[in-house]
Amino acid sequence: MSLRSFIAKRISYPVQDLVNGTSILSTLEELDKSQYWPLEKQKSYQFEKFLKLLHHSIEHVPFYREQFKEMKLTLSDIKEPSDIRKIPMLTKVTAREQHQKLIAQDIDRRKVFKGTTGGTTGPPLKLLWDVQDKTCTWAAFYRWYRWMGLEYGDSYVQIWGTPMVLHTPYWQKIRASVKDFYYNRHIINSFQLNERTLPGVLEKIEKFRPLFLRGYLSAFIQLSDYMLRNNIRLSFVPRALSSTTETLFPVYKRMIEKAFNAKLYDQYGCGECNSISFDAGKENGMYIVTEHAFLEILDEQDRVTDLEKGRIIVTNLDNYAMPFIRYENGDEGRFAAYDEASIIKLPVLGEVLGRTADTILLNDGSRVHGVFFTDILSELFEQHPESIHRFQVFQHIPGKIEFRIEKADPVDNAYITG
């Protein structure tokens, strides 16, 4: 174990738990045991968590309290998992309109994490996550590390968007460098990938020699295409690769694995419920994190599908600060047949469909993910985030875009001319 791996594993991650009030590492050990439970025990545990969340939501979350009262539903009406379908589904539109009513009244605002969805398939949605949600999300993520032959603390490169797009204060750069050292990572800005910068990016990867590389699928595609076109090979073989945000089609997977000579693992989640399912190298799909997420797949008539394609409905079982119960996140997918012979006893999500986020081609050849525009607008409208209801970006000619902003009042000229 290298010095940086030792510092990350023995110091940085335990201190992170201590500072944030999370219990990720102890929960990780619990998840390592629960993945081997028989399916019936998993379902029972999952349903108990669902009922506990529902009880809290009826008591402390105005939206669900009013919903149950209006429908004359009570907690006692939900006796078994099939009764869950008595609860109306939560749509993105409703979640956005009822945002304040979805926030639990008993939460400690000092102990929640704030964020937004990427907004690539609609207007961004403001979110709150509590400590328990962060704990289970990351514990499931680190369990996935072990499925890939890794451990938390192992070196990794993250090809990701930067928190600040237009300008990053010097003190933030210093802070980021210190965190990168202690967490044994190197972050590469995916918003600046083009033919001119790609050689330098590959040089950084060569110098750091990470065991794990993860990032936007679009960034991996761009890197892989450049490597294959120029017959470039890394002098080392990463233990694993992982792409996220966009749908991983087989053609992309083959291309990236060929370029890096390493296995690419998929994952699935959304801002409202991260860590839904993870690829452990199975040919038929990704293991569902039943300890954290309750997943339904319904057809157009809201009937439960077996192994057919349908709409994904997810319940985050751990976020009590802003519960998302039976949330229709806009994605489609299908379950895979349960494998009784599998050592890991978790059910499998066979396929995720429709989770696409377009990229935009800039003048210098860079391809940027849709989140790029969300980040820029967050900076520009930091003082008045309510100024923008929604936006769309269209590109018909490389290097040029059409930007559409929807808001109640006219846009301030300072933003347009600035």
Side-chain angles (χ1 to χ4, degrees):
M1 183 184 295
S2 69
L3 176 61
R4 287 186 66 173
S5 293
F6 179 85
I7 291 173
K9 186 173 177 61
R10 303 300 183 189
I11 300 174
S12 302
Y13 285 89
V15 168
Q16 175 184 253
D17 261 350
L18 187 64
V19 171
N20 292 332
T22 52
S23 52
I24 296 169
L25 302 186
S26 60
T27 302
L28 168 60
E29 301 311 316
E30 294 173 9
L31 293 184
D32 265 349
K33 298 174 183 176
S34 60
Q35 65 186 331
Y36 303 120
W37 288 351
L39 185 58
E40 286 307 312
K41 184 175 180 179
Q42 290 179 32
K43 288 182 176 179
S44 176
Y45 175 78
Q46 186 182 57
F47 186 53
E48 286 177 14
K49 287 192 72 169
F50 187 98
L51 290 178
K52 185 178 177 183
L53 174 69
L54 190 58
H55 178 264
H56 161 82
S57 300
I58 295 171
E59 290 290 320
H60 301 289
V61 182
F63 175 79
Y64 294 107
R65 183 167 59 236
E66 294 172 9
Q67 184 183 69
F68 266 61
K69 184 178 180 180
E70 180 181 336
M71 298 191 67
K72 297 181 180 179
L73 272 176
T74 66
L75 187 63
S76 61
D77 292 318
I78 314 299
K79 297 182 176 66
E80 55 187 45
S82 62
D83 291 333
I84 287 171
R85 291 192 292 279
K86 296 177 182 178
I87 305 168
M89 286 176 283
L90 175 65
T91 66
K92 287 191 175 187
V93 172
T94 301
R96 194 169 296 110
E97 292 175 348
Q98 301 293 324
H99 173 264
Q100 288 300 320
K101 288 188 175 182
L102 279 169
I103 299 173
Q105 295 173 320
D106 65 335
I107 64 168
D108 185 343
R109 295 279 183 149
R110 298 169 299 178
K111 296 182 179 180
V112 296
F113 303 87
K114 298 179 181 179
T116 61
T117 59
T120 52
T121 57
L125 176 63
K126 295 178 182 178
L127 302 172
L128 295 179
W129 303 280
D130 60 18
V131 169
Q132 178 63 16
D133 181 64
K134 282 290 184 181
T135 290
C136 291
T137 292
W138 282 104
F141 190 80
Y142 294 143
R143 177 173 67 179
W144 178 47
Y145 265 47
R146 292 177 175 176
W147 294 349
M148 296 185 290
L150 299 162
E151 272 289 343
Y152 65 90
D154 283 344
S155 59
Y156 71 94
V157 162
Q158 182 166 290
I159 310 171
W160 211 249
T162 58
M164 304 293 285
V165 179
L166 302 179
H167 173 67
T168 304
Y170 185 72
W171 67 269
Q172 285 196 7
K173 292 181 180 179
I174 297 296
R175 182 172 178 266
S177 296
V178 172
K179 288 182 71 173
D180 287 351
F181 176 83
Y182 282 109
Y183 286 107
N184 198 14
R185 70 188 183 194
H186 183 79
I187 297 178
I188 293 172
N189 184 1
S190 65
F191 298 154
Q192 296 178 348
L193 296 184
N194 55 59
E195 291 290 314
R196 179 179 56 81
T197 61
L198 285 171
V201 168
L202 289 172
E203 186 178 331
K204 289 177 182 177
I205 294 173
E206 278 281 8
K207 184 177 180 180
F208 194 64
R209 300 178 69 85
L211 292 177
F212 183 38
L213 284 92
R214 64 188 182 102
Y216 293 139
L217 174 60
S218 54
F220 270 115
I221 291 172
Q222 198 168 0
L223 268 173
S224 300
D225 175 66
Y226 180 83
M227 292 168 70
L228 294 174
R229 279 191 291 107
N230 293 281
N231 197 28
I232 296 171
R233 291 290 183 271
L234 296 177
S235 64
F236 70 100
V237 177
R239 193 168 294 172
L241 312 170
S242 172
S243 63
T244 187
T245 304
E246 300 115 316
T247 302
L248 178 61
F249 294 112
V251 63
Y252 296 150
K253 180 178 171 68
R254 290 192 296 269
M255 172 187 181
I256 295 166
E257 289 184 338
K258 181 179 179 182
F260 286 89
N261 193 30
K263 186 169 180 58
L264 177 64
Y265 294 82
D266 201 5
Q267 59 181 300
Y268 175 62
C270 58
E272 300 84 357
C273 183
N274 288 296
S275 293
I276 293 175
S277 61
F278 294 102
D279 177 9
K282 289 179 66 69
E283 292 298 324
N284 66 330
M286 299 177 282
Y287 286 117
I288 300 169
V289 184
T290 58
E291 306 96 333
H292 171 62
F294 179 76
L295 210 60
E296 304 168 73
I297 297 182
L298 307 179
D299 65 15
E300 292 181 356
Q301 284 74 44
D302 294 342
R303 296 172 302 197
V304 176
T305 66
D306 185 10
L307 303 179
E308 301 301 317
K309 181 184 74 173
R311 294 141 46 224
I312 291 177
I313 314 297
V314 63
T315 298
N316 184 334
L317 298 172
D318 292 298
N319 190 2
Y320 281 58
M322 191 176 184
F324 280 80
I325 298 175
R326 302 203 72 215
Y327 178 65
E328 186 172 355
N329 67 1
D331 294 339
E332 291 187 331
R334 63 173 183 82
F335 291 121
Y338 185 70
D339 185 2
E340 296 283 354
S342 175
I343 296 175
I344 295 174
K345 299 302 180 183
L346 300 170
V348 176
L349 180 62
E351 190 177 12
V352 176
L353 306 162
R355 185 185 48 153
T356 57
D358 293 337
T359 58
I360 294 292
L361 183 64
L362 303 184
N363 279 321
D364 63 359
S366 302
R367 287 189 177 272
V368 298
H369 188 269
V371 176
F372 174 82
F373 298 97
T374 305
D375 291 344
I376 281 185
L377 290 175
S378 295
E379 287 184 52
L380 285 174
F381 290 83
E382 183 178 5
Q383 301 302 318
H384 302 284
E386 71 283 355
S387 297
I388 297 178
H389 175 60
R390 72 175 95 192
F391 72 91
Q392 291 179 322
V393 180
F394 295 85
Q395 182 171 60
H396 305 288
I397 302 172
K400 294 184 179 181
I401 61 172
E402 178 183 350
F403 212 98
R404 300 178 184 176
I405 295 178
E406 178 183 326
K407 66 187 301 294
D409 303 315
V411 179
D412 192 316
N413 286 331
Y415 289 120
I416 297 176
T417 58

